[in-house]
Each structure stands twice: as C-alpha cells, then as structure tokens.
Amino acid sequence: LRLASAASSRPSGRTLGLREAVDLALQNNLLIAQQQVTLEQAEANWRQTRASFLPNVNANFGFARNTGTILVAADITRNTSIWQSNPGLQANTTLFQFLARQYNLRANNLLRQSERAGLERQRNEIVQQVLVAYLQMMIDQSNLDIIRGRIDVLRQQSERAEKLFRAGAGTEVEFLNLRSQLAVEEQNLI
C-alpha cells in the first residue's frame, strides 16, 4: 500500500508498512509537538513551584582599596592606603504562605499529569486515524481487486454471449445485458 506524506522526507509513492506509517505520522504531527511543548511548560511550572519551598540564599563580597594623600594638619599631609572588604550572606524564606504553596504544588502536579494524559490521548488519536486510513486503503484495494475480477468474468461472459448470439444460439438481450454490466463495472473501477 502506498502512503505519501507531505511532511515527510521520504519520496512520495514509497510503500510503507503499518508500523512505519504510524511512526511517521507520530513524528511529523504538529499537534503532538504542541502538546509536548505544553507538557514541558507544565513540568517547568511544577519544578518552579516545588523550588519555592526552599529558602533563598544570597552571598556577596565587596572589596575596595583607596590610596591617596590626606591632610592631617594645616600643612602636614600623609600618604595612606585604606583596604576595605564587605562580605555578606543573606538567607530568607516565607513562612506564612505554606498552604498556598502546597495548593499551588498540587495544582501544578495535576496540570502536569493532565498534560501527560493529553499528549498520550493525542498520540492515540493519531494512531487511530492512521489505522483507519490504512484499513480503508486495504479495503479499497480489495474492492478494486474484486471489481477487476468481475470485469474479467463479465468480459469472458460477454464474448461468449456474443459468439452464441452470432451463431444464433443466444439472444441479443443477453449479450447487451452483459455488455451493460461490463460498462457499469468499468465505470466503478474509475
């Protein structure tokens, strides 16, 4: 059976198996890619909410050196060098939003699970659509084979009826009836 995909890099008209067709559809579907991005956003929100339980810690260190001449008395100056450092460490956490954070964490976890289920549902729908299309093509191919077989049989019967009619052993109605059926089946083939 032939499956061609505009989004694929495979040459059109290449024969694909069912598994290959499903894999190709899953790889090239934009809805699945969008759902995957949405899931990644939900995962990031969940990690950020989970990290909000941790305290914030900041550290800094400042260093300065001042050199120059300072005036000590009216006409006395002195060269000096001043070294200065300012280390610092700060930690803080929010204590009174604990329940709000818990609820946000649960909500983001549920959203994350929902997005995972949505991605799986989207994949299943794509697989189902490919399966239906694949089976429909198989049915269509079988129907074409049946029609071709009926055309061959009707041609043989029509030739036989024509010979019988020409020999005087058959009726023209039988011959024309078979020709009519043959024309209908050839039209069905188109």
Side-chain angles (χ1 to χ4, degrees), residues 80-94:
T80 62
S81 181
I82 300 173
W83 297 81
Q84 196 176 25
S85 66
N86 296 314
L89 181 65
Q90 179 184 16
N92 60 31
T93 186
T94 306

Side-chain angles (χ1 to χ4, degrees), residues 25-26 29 32 122-131:
L26 290 174
N29 190 281
I32 289 178
Q122 190 67 39
R123 284 183 178 148
N124 289 339
E125 285 179 6
I126 296 301
V127 169
Q128 180 184 14
Q129 290 171 2
V130 170
L131 289 174

Side-chain angles (χ1 to χ4, degrees), residues 56-133:
N56 293 327
V57 177
N58 296 315
N60 61 4
F61 183 79
F63 176 78
R65 178 182 177 209
N66 293 325
T67 58
T69 306
I70 59 171
L71 185 63
V72 177
D75 50 337
I76 301 173
T77 60
R78 190 168 106 191
N79 288 334
T80 62
S81 181
I82 300 173
W83 297 81
Q84 196 176 25
S85 66
N86 296 314
L89 181 65
Q90 179 184 16
N92 60 31
T93 186
T94 306
L95 296 176
F96 298 109
Q97 290 183 345
F98 187 74
L99 289 178
R101 287 183 185 176
Q102 284 287 340
Y103 290 131
N104 284 340
L105 184 63
R106 286 183 191 150
N108 283 334
N109 190 35
L110 291 174
L111 179 63
R112 183 176 65 141
Q113 291 173 1
S114 171
E115 294 301 335
R116 279 186 190 149
L119 178 61
E120 191 61 31
R121 180 190 52 79
Q122 190 67 39
R123 284 183 178 148
N124 289 339
E125 285 179 6
I126 296 301
V127 169
Q128 180 184 14
Q129 290 171 2
V130 170
L131 289 174
V132 167

